[in-house]
Amino acid sequence: MSSNKPKALVTGASSGIGAATALELARRGMVVAVHYFNNEDGGRQTVQAIRDAGGEALAIKADVRQQAEVERLVAGVLSEFGTLDVLINNAGSLVGRVPFFAMTDEYWNEVFQLNVSSVFYCTQAAGRQMAKQKSGVVVNVSSVAGRHGGGPGAICYAAAKGAVLTLTKGLAKELAPYGIRVNGVNPGVILTPFHERFTNEEQMKRMVDTIAMKRAGTAEETATVIAFLVSSDAKYLTGETIEVNGGQLMD
Ligand SMILES: NC(=O)c1ccc[n+]([C@@H]2O[C@H](COP(=O)([O-])OP(=O)(O)OC[C@H]3O[C@@H](n4cnc5c(N)ncnc54)[C@H](OP(=O)(O)O)[C@@H]3O)[C@@H](O)[C@H]2O)c1
């Protein structure tokens, strides 16, 4: 791997926003660790797309709900790259649409492990290395749901993403003395496999009606905002979360 290029780890880069972000960071000259979990083909495709565009990447598997797996993930990336400059905490999911009175403890814990604990685990493991280097950038992918309470059956996911928004601010303060910036993006309705799995046509139509621009966004339109937060153009930004929602929710 080229030693002089910045090194990035993108979690959940086997599809959707993570895959587009991995590609965008590679286009901007970074060597990228493409993390995946179940979708090995997707991970390989992202790596191939980066290589086809002349970039450098490797695929690496881990369940980000498990701290030991995340430690192994970051150690694996470091053994290949030697350094780590950028972490994109993107892996996450709604898991399922479950109304409040049907919610179980098991479902609650799964949603929080996947969307919140993963950010804690990944940032701690990668942050230790960045602190040693005295520089680093972290971008957390939260959700508009974290601000408005979520759509149908998404209350638990919304609460988890709300926790990510708060984590972004707390981590920004705690890690600034180590030269690490921590920011986030709040995607609104973005066309990815997420909605293919969890949103039917009628629900999609209703959501799009609430968007000022009257269309859903794309993974690429989210990835370029993440790449901006990573770039030196954002070097005085920390603790900030940018809304990427086409005017669905403003304030
Ligand atoms: N699409 C939207 O409208 C929208 C809106 C707001 C926020 N978001 C957030 O944006 C992020 C990316 O979502 P997306 O829309 O791009 O959805 P996606 O295409 O379904 O991607 C989700 C990614 O998360 C990974 N993942 C899921 N469970 C995992 C686990 N236990 N361990 C490790 N990785 C796991 C998946 O990996 P494998 O498939 O390889 O298992 C996949 O790469 C998520 O945090 C999501 O909550 C999306």
Side-chain angles (χ1 to χ4, degrees):
M1 297 285 168
S2 301
S3 57
N4 55 344
K5 291 183 175 179
K7 310 293 189 302
L9 166 61
V10 182
T11 69
S14 48
S15 69
I17 294 168
T21 301
L23 197 53
E24 185 61 32
L25 295 184
R27 268 198 208 107
R28 294 179 186 218
M30 288 170 222
V31 181
V32 184
V34 170
H35 158 266
Y36 68 94
F37 181 38
N38 286 308
N39 186 359
E40 188 175 352
D41 281 352
R44 278 211 204 101
Q45 280 162 22
T46 306
V47 168
Q48 197 52 52
I50 289 171
R51 290 181 182 157
D52 289 348
E56 291 175 79
L58 58 84
I60 185 158
K61 176 176 179 169
D63 180 351
V64 295
R65 295 169 300 184
Q66 312 289 335
Q67 189 166 25
E69 287 218 17
V70 170
E71 294 288 339
R72 189 189 51 72
L73 165 70
V74 172
V77 170
L78 284 173
S79 79
E80 290 290 333
F81 288 177
T83 59
L84 186 56
D85 307 289
V86 174
L87 168 67
I88 313 298
N89 283 314
N90 166 76
S93 175
L94 186 58
V95 179
R97 289 197 186 271
V98 181
F100 178 65
F101 287 117
M103 270 167 46
T104 61
D105 197 37
E106 192 189 10
Y107 167 76
W108 174 272
N109 288 331
E110 166 150 21
V111 173
F112 269 73
Q113 279 300 115
L114 174 55
N115 291 286
V116 189
S117 303
S118 66
V119 176
F120 155 41
Y121 301 151
C122 292
T123 309
Q124 193 179 59
R128 283 195 188 105
Q129 174 64 26
M130 292 173 178
K132 268 192 228 157
Q133 297 169 197
K134 297 196 172 11
S135 77
V137 185
V138 178
V139 180
N140 297 328
V141 179
S142 184
S143 171
V144 70
R147 294 185 61 230
H148 67 38
I155 186 171
C156 185
Y157 171 77
K161 290 298 194 181
V164 174
L165 289 173
T166 307
L167 254 176
T168 300
K169 294 177 190 171
L171 287 169
K173 289 192 231 179
E174 187 117 356
L175 299 183
Y178 301 97
I180 303 168
R181 294 190 295 112
V182 185
N183 290 295
V185 291
N186 256 356
V189 182
I190 309 297
L191 294 174
T192 70
F194 179 103
H195 287 294
E196 288 164 24
R197 205 169 315 137
F198 300 116
T199 308
N200 65 34
E201 220 174 297
E202 185 49 42
Q203 285 168 329
M204 178 56 75
K205 198 173 165 305
R206 273 205 305 272
M207 286 195 291
V208 167
D209 272 349
T210 67
I211 300 171
M213 291 172 75
K214 295 294 173 211
R215 67 169 178 88
T218 65
E220 291 71 22
E221 286 168 332
T222 314
T224 49
V225 179
I226 294 172
F228 159 71
L229 286 169
V230 168
S231 77
S232 60
D233 288 343
K235 69 182 178 197
Y236 196 54
L237 276 194
T238 199
E240 188 58 63
T241 294
I242 300 182
E243 309 293 327
V244 188
N245 67 26
Q248 186 187 23
L249 183 70
M250 307 174 208
D251 71 16

